[in-house]
Amino acid sequence: MSDELTPKRRAFAREYIIDSNGTQAAIRAGYSERSATSQASQLLDLPSVQAEIALLQKDAAQAQDVSLSRLYTLLNEACQIARRKESATGMVAAVTAIAKLAGLWVEKHEDLAARDKLAAEAQKTELKTAARLLGEAAESVGLPRAATPAQIVGALAERPVATPEAYRLLRQHATEEPANAT
């Protein structure tokens, strides 16, 4: 597709600035409804069409006296009106709009795919840790590392359980040994 700005492409640019809907602009400019979406995409990629759209938008903005300084003035007036009416909501809205216009306000959108990926990695790490701990537990009771939790519990159930009295004697014996060493 050549980059020449034909009358039909110029018509597309005029229609596009109405609502920024490429498909509808293509149809209104005389392109086929069946191919309007793909035509709009191709037209919007052409530098000559982009330049024409930019020129038309600039002309429209000047005609409506829309400039950054004018927008700042209007938003400051809105903020003053909200302050006089003691409308905190109005003041916040005006200040937020000013910050967005100045590029100081950045909308934060959570990246759900990244969050899900991090959660999956954390779960994988937890599973590896659990498998390692189960393997160590299995070896501590004389079973292979691949033993199931049920096998580990069964092996533990067959072992004798030390009574509180046995623990007291072990603790007493451990405290007496350092005293005998001196």
Side-chain angles (χ1 to χ4, degrees):
M1 185 179 274
S2 76
D3 191 31
E4 181 185 345
L5 190 61
T6 63
K8 200 169 188 179
R9 290 177 181 171
R10 186 171 274 121
F12 170 79
R14 271 194 317 273
E15 294 297 327
Y16 183 78
I17 66 163
I18 293 171
D19 58 8
S20 298
N21 183 326
T23 301
Q24 291 304 312
I27 293 168
R28 291 190 303 260
Y31 290 92
S32 162
E33 280 190 43
R34 274 187 35 216
S35 65
T37 301
S38 64
Q39 280 291 329
S41 177
Q42 291 174 6
L43 290 168
L44 289 170
D45 285 340
L46 293 174
S48 62
V49 174
Q50 291 173 0
E52 182 70 10
I53 290 171
L55 179 66
L56 291 170
Q57 286 174 332
K58 181 180 171 194
D59 290 347
Q62 286 175 343
Q64 295 177 7
D65 190 28
V66 176
S67 64
L68 283 177
S69 80
R70 176 86 175 123
L71 290 174
Y72 280 121
T73 302
L74 291 171
L75 288 170
N76 281 323
E77 288 173 9
C79 190
Q80 296 306 319
I81 291 169
R83 181 176 288 149
R84 280 194 300 274
K85 292 188 174 193
E86 296 180 359
S87 169
T89 305
M91 288 175 59
V92 168
V95 170
T96 301
I98 291 169
K100 285 181 180 179
L101 190 60
L104 301 173
W105 187 282
V106 178
E107 295 286 336
K108 181 180 177 185
H109 298 280
E110 189 173 354
D111 187 350
L112 297 178
R115 186 185 71 188
D116 289 346
K117 185 177 178 183
L118 286 173
E121 288 174 8
Q123 185 179 22
K124 200 180 293 184
T125 301
E126 289 175 10
L127 288 172
K128 285 180 181 178
T129 302
R132 182 181 49 79
L133 291 173
L134 280 172
E136 290 172 4
E139 285 181 339
S140 74
V141 292
L143 295 173
R145 284 190 77 79
T148 66
Q151 291 170 325
I152 296 168
V153 169
L156 287 171
E158 294 173 2
R159 292 188 157 204
V161 177
T163 63
E165 179 63 23
Y167 281 115
R168 188 183 59 74
L169 289 172
L170 284 171
R171 204 175 15 247
Q172 182 181 6
H173 180 69
T175 55
E176 288 176 1
E177 282 185 9
N180 291 341
T182 54

